[in-house]
Amino acid sequence: MAGSQRVYKARIKSTQSLKKIFRAMELIAASRIGKARDRVADSTPYARAITRAVSAVATHAHVAHPLTTPRTDTDAVAVLIVTSDRGMAGAYAASAIRETERLIEHLQSEGKTVRLYVAGRRAVSYYAFRGRELAGEWTGGSDAPTPETAEEISTELLRAFRAPADEGGVSELHVVYTQFVNMVTQTPRVIRLLPLEVVEEVVPAQEGELLPVYDFAPSAEAVLDAILPRYVRTRIFNCLLQAAASELAARQRAMHTATENAEDLIRMYTRLANQARQADITQEISEIVSGADALAAS
């Protein structure tokens, strides 16, 4: 019985250490989530504005531009998945990977070849373990993405989209990320960036409001050349920011649950340790009484 008591005490000690780690990670995530949410909110107006601008050019220019015209010279498509660099965030990374697998299965059913680009060590490790070749990978700072990272990713993806078919060109660009809805809800989402697919709807004209007449200078083609790369970069950066906020929210919630589970384990082990201690005391008393009876009988 004494051995059982020592085992329970050791488990209590180790669980208490884990509880401290879980609590610290919860507090760190909670301290960062506010800034992450602000960055998402700050990026939204610009993202919507540039989306409206791209939509206006694409709708009214009536020109065949490489970034708005579907390619027919290749069946290869690029898929970018955005996950986290670290775990301890519940099903956050697994949900994004699961959504990516569904997208890949759908694209392959259409006869397309998927080239996978990955942001985040969790997805890199997942596909490396399965021997999946990656066309590109980016790791580090998933919970605090920078414009430089978005620039690097968008440059590589645009290069692949613009490249000739015999040099690894792709006909489509899809992005899988986790949209931050609120602290409780984070939803995996798939968007197609290229060929141009307007992600945000243009605000419709109100009754009696005249639609604007657009004039492009120096030309619609030049405007598209300038604005579409910025559009792609902005959308990718927004996806990274959304994913970062989702990661922190998921980690805070997961660590809060882990802390509560650790407390439940500590209470259970404490109760079992007390029961073992009481059993030891009862056994010692029984042995003393038995010994006293034996002495009295002799």
Side-chain angles (χ1 to χ4, degrees):
M1 285 296 185
S4 298
Q5 189 175 347
R6 285 194 297 270
V7 169
Y8 291 134
K9 287 183 177 180
R11 290 180 179 177
I12 291 171
K13 185 176 180 180
S14 63
T15 306
Q16 286 174 336
S17 298
L18 288 174
K19 176 188 171 182
K20 291 179 181 178
I21 295 174
F22 297 151
R23 180 60 176 165
M25 295 184 69
E26 178 189 354
L27 293 176
I28 292 172
S31 67
R32 294 179 178 176
I33 187 63
K35 183 177 180 180
R37 292 172 63 183
D38 291 342
R39 295 184 74 190
V40 172
D42 291 343
S43 70
T44 300
Y46 181 72
R48 288 179 177 172
I50 197 169
T51 299
R52 290 191 178 97
V54 172
S55 175
V57 178
T59 302
H60 299 282
H62 304 295
V63 295
H65 190 275
L67 301 187
T68 60
T69 305
R71 293 181 60 170
T72 59
D73 59 334
T74 178
D75 61 357
V77 299
V79 174
L80 169 67
I81 172 177
V82 181
T83 62
S84 58
D85 288 317
R86 297 184 295 127
M88 311 292 280
Y92 165 74
S95 297
I97 292 173
R98 195 159 49 242
E99 191 68 27
T100 303
E101 289 300 308
R102 281 196 288 264
L103 173 62
I104 291 174
E105 183 179 352
H106 172 71
L107 292 172
Q108 289 176 340
S109 68
E110 295 180 344
K112 297 175 182 177
T113 303
V114 176
R115 291 178 184 160
L116 199 57
Y117 295 81
V118 174
R121 290 191 181 92
R122 301 299 293 180
V124 170
S125 300
Y126 175 87
Y127 288 108
F129 179 76
R130 287 156 180 78
R132 179 67 182 268
E133 182 180 355
L134 300 179
E137 60 182 75
W138 296 268
T139 57
S142 65
D143 58 353
T146 63
E148 290 75 18
T149 301
E151 173 72 25
E152 184 179 343
I153 295 174
S154 63
T155 299
E156 174 61 24
L157 294 176
L158 281 171
R159 183 205 61 77
F161 187 79
R162 287 167 166 162
D166 57 359
E167 296 181 11
V170 297
S171 61
E172 297 176 7
L173 167 59
H174 301 264
V175 181
V176 182
Y177 71 103
T178 305
Q179 181 181 22
F180 179 83
V181 180
N182 51 49
M183 288 298 296
V184 178
T185 306
Q186 300 86 42
T187 307
R189 187 181 178 193
V190 178
I191 59 176
R192 194 190 80 186
L193 289 184
L194 297 175
L196 177 64
E197 181 179 70
V198 177
V199 180
E200 308 286 351
E201 293 183 0
V202 178
V203 176
Q206 301 296 322
E207 184 177 354
E209 180 183 356
L210 295 177
L211 293 174
V213 177
Y214 293 93
D215 186 21
F216 305 104
S219 66
E221 292 85 348
V223 173
L224 284 172
D225 285 338
I227 201 172
L228 276 174
R230 295 187 182 186
Y231 166 77
V232 173
R233 182 173 63 251
T234 300
R235 294 305 305 179
I236 288 178
F237 188 42
N238 185 260
C239 291
L240 295 177
L241 293 176
Q242 294 269 0
S246 298
E247 175 188 345
L248 290 170
R251 180 168 293 117
Q252 180 185 3
R253 189 169 61 253
M255 291 300 95
H256 180 74
T257 301
T259 301
E260 291 182 338
N261 291 340
E263 292 174 348
D264 290 340
L265 283 174
I266 291 172
R267 283 193 290 268
M268 182 187 71
Y269 288 143
T270 300
R271 185 176 66 253
L272 292 174
N274 289 337
Q275 290 176 352
R277 180 171 176 272
Q278 291 172 358
D280 290 342
I281 294 173
T282 301
Q283 183 176 357
E284 289 175 2
I285 292 175
S286 297
E287 290 174 353
I288 291 173
V289 172
S290 298
D293 291 342
L295 289 174
S298 63

